Amino acid sequence: MTGNEVDVLFDDMRTFEDWGLRLEKITLSFPDPKLDLVDIPGADGVSDLTEANGPVRYENRDIQLVFSLVGGYAGWHTLVSLIAAKLHGKLRKCILPDDPAFFYQGRFTLETEKDSPAVTGIVISGNVEPYKQEAQDSLEDWLWNPFNFETGIIREYADIAVDGVLEVNIIGREMPVVPRIIVDNEMTVEFDNVVYELVPGTNVIYDIVTSPGDNILKFEGHGAVSVGYRGGML
């Protein structure tokens, strides 16, 4: 297998294995920050309020994947129509071959050009969310295959027994996340010195937002708790 005979995944679709597309180039932009700049009359410069009420927010980012398809004219239209039906304008999760622990989510478009009897050029472009997100949610079955030992975080937040008081540390990434807290009995959780009531089932508390690093959730009560979390980074 040569270097460009690798798969980009769009949900469960594989660009080389399923369609025979050879990856030639990846272009990935970083998202523009949403700046809050206020021009104050009579003063020099501007007042930067971007982080006055929280972390920097970002616009979407762009991704462009250039492929080649070896083959003549026969079957070309059929294949590109098949790919378009699966991708063009659709909301998909995209996993790159050299970064399998994360996905980019957004809408993708397809362009193709056949200027050679032997080779077709295909470009798949996406307008995707600013953060790439962990391929696995903390409550999904753990898979070692995509795990990155340099940047990966092992998350064991499912079915944790609480008998009295228990602290759970959510290791946050850059993307702010409101975790899902699932309990089988009434209990409380404390976060940033504020106590919240939890009811049996799934609790989404919008005042509990993770930040990079340690995020301590202090549970008090009796029962089982699971914390659904999916980290994201630029």
Side-chain angles (χ1 to χ4, degrees):
M1 179 177 286
T2 60
N4 56 1
E5 294 177 347
V6 294
D7 278 311
V8 177
L9 272 65
F10 290 95
D11 292 349
D12 58 352
M13 297 166 282
R14 300 176 180 271
T15 54
F16 182 75
E17 183 177 325
D18 296 338
W19 301 327
L21 304 184
R22 298 171 183 266
L23 181 62
E24 303 292 346
K25 182 180 179 182
I26 300 173
T27 302
L28 180 63
S29 71
F30 280 87
D32 291 331
K34 294 183 176 182
L35 302 180
D36 185 4
L37 305 178
V38 178
D39 187 4
I40 302 176
D44 293 325
V46 295
S47 180
D48 188 342
L49 304 179
T50 303
E51 296 172 268
N53 296 309
V56 178
R57 299 296 181 176
Y58 296 94
E59 304 286 354
N60 274 9
R61 67 203 299 185
D62 295 317
I63 183 172
Q64 186 183 77
L65 306 168
V66 179
F67 299 91
S68 63
L69 176 64
V70 177
Y73 288 96
W76 167 52
H77 289 291
T78 300
L79 179 61
V80 295
S81 292
L82 171 65
I83 297 172
K86 299 291 186 180
L87 288 185
H88 194 69
K90 306 294 176 57
L91 182 67
R92 298 292 185 220
K93 292 180 180 178
C94 173
I95 297 180
L96 301 179
D98 56 351
D99 196 15
F102 294 88
F103 67 82
Y104 299 87
Q105 179 164 282
R107 295 196 179 275
F108 290 83
T109 58
L110 176 71
E111 296 179 67
T112 183
E113 180 179 11
K114 181 121 178 116
D115 56 3
S116 163
V119 179
T120 300
I122 292 179
V123 178
I124 299 175
S125 302
N127 179 257
V128 300
E129 296 172 0
Y131 292 99
K132 63 179 184 180
Q133 298 181 52
E134 294 172 350
Q136 288 180 264
D137 183 277
S138 63
L139 301 184
E140 295 175 342
D141 292 337
W142 188 256
L143 299 176
W144 284 104
N145 188 44
F147 186 75
N148 187 313
F149 285 90
E150 293 184 0
T151 62
I153 299 172
I154 298 176
R155 303 192 183 280
E156 298 179 325
Y157 308 148
D159 296 321
I160 304 169
V162 178
D163 187 14
V165 177
L166 180 71
E167 291 187 352
V168 176
N169 186 9
I170 308 299
I171 308 298
R173 294 192 187 272
E174 297 168 84
M175 183 176 75
V177 174
V178 176
R180 310 182 315 278
I181 302 175
I182 305 166
V183 296
D184 64 357
N185 202 0
E186 292 183 357
M187 61 180 75
T188 62
V189 61
E190 181 180 331
F191 179 75
D192 280 352
N193 298 316
V194 180
V195 176
Y196 304 92
E197 300 287 337
L198 301 175
V199 298
T202 300
N203 298 261
V204 178
I205 301 171
Y206 291 100
D207 288 332
I208 299 180
V209 183
T210 63
S211 56
D214 295 335
N215 296 269
I216 305 298
L217 300 178
K218 184 178 179 181
F219 295 95
E220 185 169 355
H222 301 275
V225 61
S226 299
V227 181
Y229 175 89
R230 190 191 299 275
M233 60 190 301
L234 294 177

